[in-house]
Amino acid sequence: MNVRKIVGLNLKRIRVEQNITQERLALEAVIDRAYVGRIERGLENVTLDRLETLAGVLKVPVSALFEAVQRKTPVDGLRAGRKPMKKPR
């Protein structure tokens, strides 16, 4: 497994464990939500500065993003879609 995949799977695992959406993580890290998705899928060659920012938002050491991943452990995501908007009163 390549490093981009390892980082992506760890990022998603940690994010989901903390019940944080991609949108919320992106907002707090001041990056695009689609970029977070591409990182999690191992499609982006993310910089160390960006990894440091993401780890800071998640309150984990950067090294947590590089931990060995068990292939048999699936990472289920949060429920898809946005929460419905409340109707104005």
Side-chain angles (χ1 to χ4, degrees):
M1 186 177 300
N2 71 41
V3 175
R4 287 185 302 212
K5 285 278 190 190
I6 291 169
V7 168
L9 288 171
N10 281 317
L11 180 66
K12 183 174 183 178
R13 177 184 53 78
I14 294 165
R15 177 181 63 75
V16 170
E17 285 173 357
Q18 295 184 17
N19 202 32
I20 297 173
T21 63
Q22 284 182 348
E23 189 170 9
R24 178 44 121 196
L25 178 59
L27 182 67
E28 291 187 27
V30 192
I31 59 175
D32 187 66
R33 190 219 42 88
Y35 184 62
V36 172
R38 290 192 307 270
I39 294 169
E40 288 183 354
R41 292 190 310 274
L43 302 176
E44 289 289 339
N45 189 14
V46 63
T47 66
L48 292 174
D49 288 338
R50 186 67 67 202
L51 289 176
E52 186 175 46
T53 299
L54 290 166
V57 170
L58 295 170
K59 296 177 178 62
V60 296
V62 175
S63 61
L65 299 174
F66 292 94
E67 292 177 0
V69 175
Q70 300 296 325
R71 284 184 171 249
K72 294 182 181 181
T73 306
V75 179
D76 295 328
L78 300 176
R79 183 180 61 79
R82 297 181 183 196
K83 292 182 181 176
M85 298 282 291
K86 291 184 180 178
K87 293 182 182 179
R89 295 180 187 210

